[in-house]
Amino acid sequence: MGISRNGRIGVDTEPADRRLAFELLQEQVCTPAERAELAALGESGRAAGMLRLWTLKEAYTKALGLGLRMGFSEFGFATATSGETGLLAPDGSPATHGEWAFGTYPVAGRYLLSVACHDAGLDTSRDSAVATMLDEGFVAMVSAALLAPALPAR
């Protein structure tokens, strides 16, 4: 869940050890530029890059209110395994002018969390970078909740 006073927000998290089959999903999930970048990586780099792309694409399409109804190969991201990135057209060129911010973060050593934040220009905040919009206390609370043992069913 995410809350933003600046505009749309989308969040996706997956287990950090989840393996997505690049060979099976590349046509449906990746742009030509992403496929080329991922193909050049080793197997472990490709697995990490594919998971990062998946969570970024899920977060972005959730922010748009479309989820899996939007074709994931119609937009892209740089395949770096961490840090902030921008939205890319299928050919790898920039697709926005700074109104969207994206970030991917490890959580509790067990999950990968990606966030897509849109700045609709409704707030006077000058800093809309994802890294500074994430509340550290909230991330700590979510991490603690994920690590807590499940409560017994009543």
Side-chain angles (χ1 to χ4, degrees), residues 37-38 41-51 79-81:
E37 285 186 46
L38 287 170
L41 300 175
E43 189 173 330
S44 64
R46 188 169 32 253
M50 188 71 172
L51 185 60
T79 58
T81 56

Side-chain angles (χ1 to χ4, degrees), residues 106-118:
V107 176
R110 296 176 26 198
Y111 301 93
L112 191 65
L113 169 80
S114 285
V115 182
C117 297
H118 180 250

Side-chain angles (χ1 to χ4, degrees), residues 8-129:
R8 294 174 176 256
I9 186 169
V11 178
D12 188 58
T13 187
E14 297 286 342
D17 60 355
R18 181 176 179 194
R19 297 289 176 237
L20 298 170
F22 174 71
E23 295 76 20
L24 297 176
L25 296 173
Q26 65 178 324
E27 294 291 325
Q28 293 79 28
V29 174
C30 300
T31 65
E34 290 169 333
R35 285 195 302 270
E37 285 186 46
L38 287 170
L41 300 175
E43 189 173 330
S44 64
R46 188 169 32 253
M50 188 71 172
L51 185 60
R52 179 173 178 271
L53 286 175
W54 179 265
T55 59
L56 282 166
K57 290 180 180 220
E58 281 255 23
Y60 177 60
T61 59
K62 286 176 182 179
L64 294 175
L66 297 172
L68 295 173
R69 293 183 311 236
M70 184 172 182
F72 279 14
S73 62
E74 300 300 316
F75 62 96
F77 295 96
T79 58
T81 56
S82 65
E84 292 186 45
T85 187
L87 187 65
L88 302 175
D91 66 0
S93 63
T96 62
H97 303 287
E99 65 273 17
W100 283 93
F102 302 91
T104 301
Y105 307 91
V107 176
R110 296 176 26 198
Y111 301 93
L112 191 65
L113 169 80
S114 285
V115 182
C117 297
H118 180 250
D119 184 354
L122 302 175
D123 188 23
T124 58
S125 172
R126 290 188 182 148
D127 184 2
S128 61

